[in-house]
Amino acid sequence: EVSIGLVIITVLLCVGSLNLSKIVEAQKTVWFFIPLFPMFIIYFISALAETNRSPFDLPEGESELVGGYFTEYSSMTFALFFLGEYANMILMSAMGSILFLGGWLPPLDIAPFNWIPGPIWFALKISLLLFGFLWVRATFPRFRYDQLMRLGWKIFLPFSLFYVVLVAGVLVAFDWLPTP
């Protein structure tokens, strides 16, 4: 969660606004995925951990119990758990699309891409990030709790803080600060 907050701060430094529409409009020339690539990777991995998706699904211990913490729930309660988890995945994918992939903007501002409406571009980008969630789930083994804490506190937090300072320094040094 702390790393996601610092990632959002780097994007806000580049835009100068908390308005999601202005964040998307600031990406008309280049998506933030390109200049802030390390922060995109940290955002994606932190979103996996925040949504309790594999390899960070620590509450689910399939080897210890039949179905982990789901054994006490059945039918509608179980369905509501899954609905909440997938809604959180869609929310994180939508925020990732807005913060780094240009939201509803097409990848190139030329004729064939402009024919496709913005909501379809937005849905495609969300689907791309959701595919990444599923791909990681099928690829990597589960992390232990101590490995997750080490990753979050000893790797992501210092790197995110360094990158916030770096982005702020570059924006000030080259006079690229956004105008309000």
Side-chain angles (χ1 to χ4, degrees), residues 80-92:
L80 289 174
F81 256 110
F82 260 67
L83 183 67
E85 284 186 3
Y86 280 96
N88 196 10
M89 282 175 49
I90 293 170
L91 172 72
M92 290 301 216

PDB file of all heavy atoms in Angstrom, residues 80-92:
ATOM      1  N   LEU A  80     -19.892 -13.707  -2.764  1.00  0.00           N
ATOM      2  CA  LEU A  80     -19.619 -12.306  -2.449  1.00  0.00           C
ATOM      3  C   LEU A  80     -18.132 -12.067  -2.216  1.00  0.00           C
ATOM      4  O   LEU A  80     -17.607 -11.025  -2.595  1.00  0.00           O
ATOM      5  CB  LEU A  80     -20.438 -11.860  -1.239  1.00  0.00           C
ATOM      6  CG  LEU A  80     -21.940 -11.709  -1.492  1.00  0.00           C
ATOM      7  CD1 LEU A  80     -22.670 -11.407  -0.200  1.00  0.00           C
ATOM      8  CD2 LEU A  80     -22.204 -10.637  -2.532  1.00  0.00           C
ATOM      9  N   PHE A  81     -17.442 -13.039  -1.596  1.00  0.00           N
ATOM     10  CA  PHE A  81     -15.998 -12.940  -1.453  1.00  0.00           C
ATOM     11  C   PHE A  81     -15.336 -12.833  -2.821  1.00  0.00           C
ATOM     12  O   PHE A  81     -14.490 -11.971  -3.060  1.00  0.00           O
ATOM     13  CB  PHE A  81     -15.435 -14.169  -0.724  1.00  0.00           C
ATOM     14  CG  PHE A  81     -15.072 -13.917   0.697  1.00  0.00           C
ATOM     15  CD1 PHE A  81     -15.822 -14.480   1.717  1.00  0.00           C
ATOM     16  CD2 PHE A  81     -13.983 -13.137   1.024  1.00  0.00           C
ATOM     17  CE1 PHE A  81     -15.486 -14.264   3.029  1.00  0.00           C
ATOM     18  CE2 PHE A  81     -13.633 -12.913   2.338  1.00  0.00           C
ATOM     19  CZ  PHE A  81     -14.389 -13.482   3.342  1.00  0.00           C
ATOM     20  N   PHE A  82     -15.707 -13.733  -3.710  1.00  0.00           N
ATOM     21  CA  PHE A  82     -15.105 -13.721  -5.050  1.00  0.00           C
ATOM     22  C   PHE A  82     -15.472 -12.457  -5.814  1.00  0.00           C
ATOM     23  O   PHE A  82     -14.633 -11.902  -6.521  1.00  0.00           O
ATOM     24  CB  PHE A  82     -15.529 -14.977  -5.827  1.00  0.00           C
ATOM     25  CG  PHE A  82     -14.478 -16.021  -5.820  1.00  0.00           C
ATOM     26  CD1 PHE A  82     -14.138 -16.668  -4.650  1.00  0.00           C
ATOM     27  CD2 PHE A  82     -13.809 -16.344  -6.974  1.00  0.00           C
ATOM     28  CE1 PHE A  82     -13.149 -17.624  -4.632  1.00  0.00           C
ATOM     29  CE2 PHE A  82     -12.816 -17.306  -6.964  1.00  0.00           C
ATOM     30  CZ  PHE A  82     -12.490 -17.949  -5.795  1.00  0.00           C
ATOM     31  N   LEU A  83     -16.704 -12.002  -5.685  1.00  0.00           N
ATOM     32  CA  LEU A  83     -17.120 -10.774  -6.352  1.00  0.00           C
ATOM     33  C   LEU A  83     -16.298  -9.590  -5.861  1.00  0.00           C
ATOM     34  O   LEU A  83     -15.846  -8.762  -6.661  1.00  0.00           O
ATOM     35  CB  LEU A  83     -18.611 -10.532  -6.109  1.00  0.00           C
ATOM     36  CG  LEU A  83     -19.224  -9.330  -6.788  1.00  0.00           C
ATOM     37  CD1 LEU A  83     -19.224  -9.521  -8.295  1.00  0.00           C
ATOM     38  CD2 LEU A  83     -20.631  -9.104  -6.283  1.00  0.00           C
ATOM     39  N   GLY A  84     -16.063  -9.515  -4.563  1.00  0.00           N
ATOM     40  CA  GLY A  84     -15.247  -8.438  -4.004  1.00  0.00           C
ATOM     41  C   GLY A  84     -13.808  -8.503  -4.491  1.00  0.00           C
ATOM     42  O   GLY A  84     -13.203  -7.483  -4.815  1.00  0.00           O
ATOM     43  N   GLU A  85     -13.244  -9.708  -4.569  1.00  0.00           N
ATOM     44  CA  GLU A  85     -11.859  -9.845  -5.031  1.00  0.00           C
ATOM     45  C   GLU A  85     -11.725  -9.449  -6.496  1.00  0.00           C
ATOM     46  O   GLU A  85     -10.775  -8.754  -6.874  1.00  0.00           O
ATOM     47  CB  GLU A  85     -11.374 -11.280  -4.825  1.00  0.00           C
ATOM     48  CG  GLU A  85     -11.051 -11.594  -3.391  1.00  0.00           C
ATOM     49  CD  GLU A  85     -10.435 -12.964  -3.218  1.00  0.00           C
ATOM     50  OE1 GLU A  85     -10.207 -13.657  -4.230  1.00  0.00           O
ATOM     51  OE2 GLU A  85     -10.164 -13.338  -2.064  1.00  0.00           O
ATOM     52  N   TYR A  86     -12.647  -9.865  -7.320  1.00  0.00           N
ATOM     53  CA  TYR A  86     -12.563  -9.520  -8.738  1.00  0.00           C
ATOM     54  C   TYR A  86     -12.888  -8.054  -8.989  1.00  0.00           C
ATOM     55  O   TYR A  86     -12.322  -7.442  -9.895  1.00  0.00           O
ATOM     56  CB  TYR A  86     -13.450 -10.451  -9.576  1.00  0.00           C
ATOM     57  CG  TYR A  86     -12.767 -11.771  -9.803  1.00  0.00           C
ATOM     58  CD1 TYR A  86     -13.018 -12.864  -9.002  1.00  0.00           C
ATOM     59  CD2 TYR A  86     -11.830 -11.915 -10.812  1.00  0.00           C
ATOM     60  CE1 TYR A  86     -12.369 -14.069  -9.185  1.00  0.00           C
ATOM     61  CE2 TYR A  86     -11.171 -13.112 -11.029  1.00  0.00           C
ATOM     62  CZ  TYR A  86     -11.447 -14.182 -10.206  1.00  0.00           C
ATOM     63  OH  TYR A  86     -10.787 -15.360 -10.395  1.00  0.00           O
ATOM     64  N   ALA A  87     -13.782  -7.473  -8.199  1.00  0.00           N
ATOM     65  CA  ALA A  87     -14.039  -6.039  -8.327  1.00  0.00           C
ATOM     66  C   ALA A  87     -12.798  -5.240  -7.960  1.00  0.00           C
ATOM     67  O   ALA A  87     -12.479  -4.228  -8.607  1.00  0.00           O
ATOM     68  CB  ALA A  87     -15.216  -5.633  -7.435  1.00  0.00           C
ATOM     69  N   ASN A  88     -12.048  -5.703  -6.963  1.00  0.00           N
ATOM     70  CA  ASN A  88     -10.806  -5.037  -6.584  1.00  0.00           C
ATOM     71  C   ASN A  88      -9.769  -5.165  -7.697  1.00  0.00           C
ATOM     72  O   ASN A  88      -9.037  -4.222  -7.980  1.00  0.00           O
ATOM     73  CB  ASN A  88     -10.274  -5.632  -5.275  1.00  0.00           C
ATOM     74  CG  ASN A  88      -9.230  -4.766  -4.624  1.00  0.00           C
ATOM     75  OD1 ASN A  88      -9.005  -3.625  -5.019  1.00  0.00           O
ATOM     76  ND2 ASN A  88      -8.566  -5.305  -3.623  1.00  0.00           N
ATOM     77  N   MET A  89      -9.707  -6.308  -8.360  1.00  0.00           N
ATOM     78  CA  MET A  89      -8.792  -6.478  -9.492  1.00  0.00           C
ATOM     79  C   MET A  89      -9.150  -5.521 -10.630  1.00  0.00           C
ATOM     80  O   MET A  89      -8.266  -4.913 -11.241  1.00  0.00           O
ATOM     81  CB  MET A  89      -8.851  -7.917 -10.018  1.00  0.00           C
ATOM     82  CG  MET A  89      -8.098  -8.912  -9.188  1.00  0.00           C
ATOM     83  SD  MET A  89      -8.314 -10.604  -9.772  1.00  0.00           S
ATOM     84  CE  MET A  89      -8.004 -10.475 -11.497  1.00  0.00           C
ATOM     85  N   ILE A  90     -10.430  -5.386 -10.907  1.00  0.00           N
ATOM     86  CA  ILE A  90     -10.869  -4.487 -11.976  1.00  0.00           C
ATOM     87  C   ILE A  90     -10.554  -3.037 -11.605  1.00  0.00           C
ATOM     88  O   ILE A  90     -10.108  -2.257 -12.446  1.00  0.00           O
ATOM     89  CB  ILE A  90     -12.369  -4.681 -12.269  1.00  0.00           C
ATOM     90  CG1 ILE A  90     -12.593  -6.076 -12.884  1.00  0.00           C
ATOM     91  CG2 ILE A  90     -12.904  -3.601 -13.180  1.00  0.00           C
ATOM     92  CD1 ILE A  90     -14.046  -6.483 -12.988  1.00  0.00           C
ATOM     93  N   LEU A  91     -10.750  -2.672 -10.339  1.00  0.00           N
ATOM     94  CA  LEU A  91     -10.425  -1.315  -9.884  1.00  0.00           C
ATOM     95  C   LEU A  91      -8.936  -1.024 -10.035  1.00  0.00           C
ATOM     96  O   LEU A  91      -8.552   0.029 -10.544  1.00  0.00           O
ATOM     97  CB  LEU A  91     -10.849  -1.128  -8.428  1.00  0.00           C
ATOM     98  CG  LEU A  91     -10.397   0.183  -7.787  1.00  0.00           C
ATOM     99  CD1 LEU A  91     -11.182   1.349  -8.358  1.00  0.00           C
ATOM    100  CD2 LEU A  91     -10.532   0.110  -6.290  1.00  0.00           C
ATOM    101  N   MET A  92      -8.088  -1.951  -9.615  1.00  0.00           N
ATOM    102  CA  MET A  92      -6.638  -1.743  -9.731  1.00  0.00           C
ATOM    103  C   MET A  92      -6.220  -1.676 -11.195  1.00  0.00           C
ATOM    104  O   MET A  92      -5.327  -0.899 -11.552  1.00  0.00           O
ATOM    105  CB  MET A  92      -5.876  -2.859  -9.016  1.00  0.00           C
ATOM    106  CG  MET A  92      -6.011  -2.782  -7.522  1.00  0.00           C
ATOM    107  SD  MET A  92      -5.395  -1.229  -6.895  1.00  0.00           S
ATOM    108  CE  MET A  92      -4.679  -1.744  -5.401  1.00  0.00           C
TER     109      MET A  92
END
